[in-house]
Amino acid sequence: MKIVGLESLIFGVDDVRGAARFLVDYGLTPVDVSDRSGRFEAIDGTAVVIARQDDPALPPGPVPGCRLRKTVMGVADEATLGAIAAELRRDREVRRLPDGSIESIDDSGFVIGFQLTARRPVVLPGEISNAPGGVVFRPINSLGVPPPGSVIRPRSLSHVVYFVPDVAKAEAFYVNRLGFRCTDRFTGTGPFLQPGGSLDHHTHFLIGAPPHMHGVEHFTFHFGGPSEMITNGYRFVEKGYQAFWGPGRHILGSNWFWYFNSPFGCHIEMDADMDQHDASWQPREATASADNSQAFLLKMRRKWYPGPGIPENGDYA
Amino acid sequence: MATTREARSPRWLRLCRADEIGEAQSRGFDPDDEGQDSLFVVRWQGQLHGWRNACPHVGGAPMAWRRDAYLNAERTRIVCHAHGAEFMPDTGLCVQGPCRGERLIDIELVVDADGELFAKK
């Protein structure tokens, strides 16, 4: 099944205006925003959609406290859409919506949708590192650090992480019914999952958790590279948003990460430079300690040389 | 919350003027200059309540989603914007979410006769 990845995530929120400002400050482009709802797109058109939590058009979340109301995945062709509908109709309702997409529910209670992907093709070089002996270099006189005031935008909706009460059952649904592959696994926690039409290390990660945790841990967009992503994160912090973990680099998936609190009842991440794998990849398994989650974690030092206001040997506290 | 002139001692940290925090508003403070608010104050039904900025769900997790934004839109609950836990503004009891039944750590507050708000160290 050629599921190419996430197309959009739909949230019900209690403060549309505040959530809209948050997403614009994150870097997304607002489309059709009102006091009741809005769509916020990455460069390729993948998006977060928000609506008032009491909007009757919103499907229910898996549990009352979960603000994620629907996860929409993109598929490459009508054949895949038909195959998914036929597969899921074996044991559950599948609705065909007026926009041509289909809607159903996964085995953990998350409402899922599938549509022909509307991702816009993006041709935009990623971050390039200059290295002695390298083959690809940045153009001469171009700068590695994004200059102040430069526009940084998320490129594509990357992945969503669910807390699920029965992780084996949740994984079986995505693997056996929708053709996802496990690329790596945290022992006793859950699998990183890749759909058949994507090479990304994961578009879904499942965490087994008690029923009262049922919901979302985080979601994230891919940025053009670590320098862009971390610059965007610092700008986000300067705007008053609350960082939770990062910036750093994960081990499984290798993606650079920075997590923030959000008005969506879950974390939001900025990520960059995730590994890609094909079917020849052999899944690894690791315990889910912090040491196995962060290859390194960066810390900003505001002053690092002797000067006004700091000891003459520098501030190395 | 007490009202006393005895607040002006080294045991008490001055936060702001008490009347700067209006009804159903919240405000974070970083008295030790850690670069992140370590406590926040909420005025709810007229009373000021001080809480550590640390969700009991994930050890020490900061709770606001934006500077000073610790409450839900209806201004009826304190919310941890990491995983959506909701707390009563006056008791700190978690009433919905991943740490239901647990409590925020309270900070003792005092307003002196001049209307200055202090937190106990």
Side-chain angles (χ1 to χ4, degrees):
Chain A
M1 286 180 181
K2 290 181 182 164
I3 298 171
V4 301
L6 298 176
E7 200 78 8
S8 60
L9 294 171
I10 303 174
F11 289 91
V13 299
D14 62 358
D15 174 10
V16 169
R17 190 169 297 184
R21 184 176 154 198
F22 177 90
L23 293 169
V24 170
D25 286 342
Y26 176 93
L28 296 166
T29 301
V31 180
D32 296 334
V33 178
S34 72
D35 283 345
R36 300 194 56 82
S37 63
R39 178 181 174 87
F40 300 85
E41 291 188 349
I43 291 174
D44 72 349
T46 53
V48 170
V49 176
I50 60 173
R52 285 173 54 110
Q53 59 189 0
D54 56 1
D55 188 326
L58 285 176
V63 290
C66 179
R67 293 192 181 281
L68 179 67
R69 300 299 191 87
K70 185 174 178 180
T71 300
V72 182
M73 289 164 266
V75 304
D77 46 44
E78 278 289 351
T80 299
L81 211 53
I84 293 169
E87 171 62 33
L88 296 184
R89 281 203 175 102
R90 289 170 47 216
D91 64 353
R92 70 199 68 204
E93 184 188 1
V94 177
R95 294 170 293 281
R96 174 76 70 163
L97 303 186
D99 63 5
S101 70
I102 58 175
E103 183 179 282
S104 191
I105 191 163
D106 76 2
D107 275 355
S108 307
F110 290 97
V111 173
I112 50 176
F114 300 88
Q115 67 171 66
L116 282 180
T117 184
R119 290 176 176 218
R120 296 186 284 264
V122 175
V123 179
L124 199 57
E127 182 168 335
I128 299 169
S129 299
N130 292 337
V135 176
V136 178
F137 293 83
R138 282 195 305 279
I140 300 297
N141 298 322
S142 70
L143 306 178
V145 175
S150 56
V151 174
I152 297 174
R153 296 188 56 208
R155 295 192 172 200
S156 188
L157 185 53
S158 167
H159 60 268
V160 65
V161 178
Y162 295 146
F163 286 123
V164 293
D166 184 340
V167 71
K169 183 180 175 189
E171 177 180 356
F173 174 80
Y174 284 93
V175 171
N176 299 333
R177 310 294 300 278
L178 295 175
F180 282 61
R181 286 189 292 256
C182 170
T183 50
D184 282 322
R185 180 185 307 280
F186 274 132
T187 311
T189 300
F192 293 89
L193 297 175
Q194 175 199 64
S198 171
L199 295 173
D200 271 3
H201 178 267
H202 60 284
T203 61
H204 290 62
F205 174 45
L206 307 176
I207 300 175
H212 61 266
M213 290 290 301
H214 202 164
V216 177
E217 205 302 312
H218 71 266
F219 64 97
T220 172
F221 286 81
H222 290 311
F223 285 74
S227 301
E228 215 179 71
M229 186 212 94
I230 295 171
T231 301
N232 198 61
Y234 275 110
R235 292 179 184 177
F236 204 50
V237 169
E238 290 295 320
K239 287 172 181 162
Y241 297 104
Q242 176 65 60
F244 172 71
W245 181 26
R249 190 162 199 180
H250 282 312
I251 297 174
L252 303 185
S254 297
N255 46 306
W256 292 83
F257 66 84
W258 201 344
Y259 295 89
F260 298 85
N261 285 0
S262 86
F264 305 107
C266 61
H267 289 128
I268 189 171
E269 183 190 353
M270 298 172 188
D271 81 76
D273 195 7
M274 177 183 274
D275 291 332
Q276 296 197 323
H277 298 293
D278 62 16
S280 68
W281 173 252
Q282 294 300 310
R284 297 166 291 179
E285 187 151 347
T287 54
S289 67
D291 285 349
N292 277 336
S293 299
Q294 50 200 355
F296 36 80
L297 194 65
L298 310 184
K299 186 180 176 190
M300 175 74 111
R301 182 177 292 286
R302 301 243 167 234
K303 294 176 182 174
W304 56 273
Y305 54 87
I310 57 172
E312 62 179 16
N313 292 327
D315 180 10
Y316 299 111
Chain B
M1 185 183 69
T3 300
T4 170
R5 273 196 178 280
E6 293 162 13
R8 294 182 189 282
S9 85
R11 294 177 54 236
W12 296 90
L13 291 164
R14 183 189 175 277
L15 299 179
C16 63
R17 286 196 56 78
D19 59 10
E20 288 177 25
I21 303 172
E23 178 62 30
Q25 288 186 346
S26 58
R27 184 158 160 188
F29 296 92
D30 178 16
D32 299 318
D33 201 20
E34 298 169 3
Q36 178 169 291
D37 292 342
S38 58
L39 63 100
F40 63 98
V41 176
V42 179
R43 188 186 291 278
W44 199 64
Q45 297 181 341
Q47 294 292 309
L48 290 171
H49 301 276
W51 303 107
R52 280 250 167 260
N53 182 21
C55 182
H57 171 223
V58 177
M63 297 172 65
W65 65 276
R66 192 170 61 203
R67 195 166 293 141
D68 300 333
Y70 291 87
L71 299 173
N72 61 351
E74 291 78 29
R75 308 272 170 188
T76 52
R77 302 270 175 84
I78 293 165
V79 179
C80 176
H81 293 87
H83 297 122
E86 298 187 8
F87 304 84
M88 295 308 295
D90 52 348
T91 64
L93 179 67
C94 178
V95 291
Q96 180 170 307
C99 43
R100 188 180 305 176
E102 296 186 56
R103 285 179 191 274
L104 298 173
I105 299 167
D106 78 306
I107 303 276
E108 199 176 333
L109 301 177
V110 68
V111 177
D112 75 4
D114 299 326
E116 301 285 339
L117 175 64
F118 294 81
K120 192 172 188 179
K121 264 187 178 173

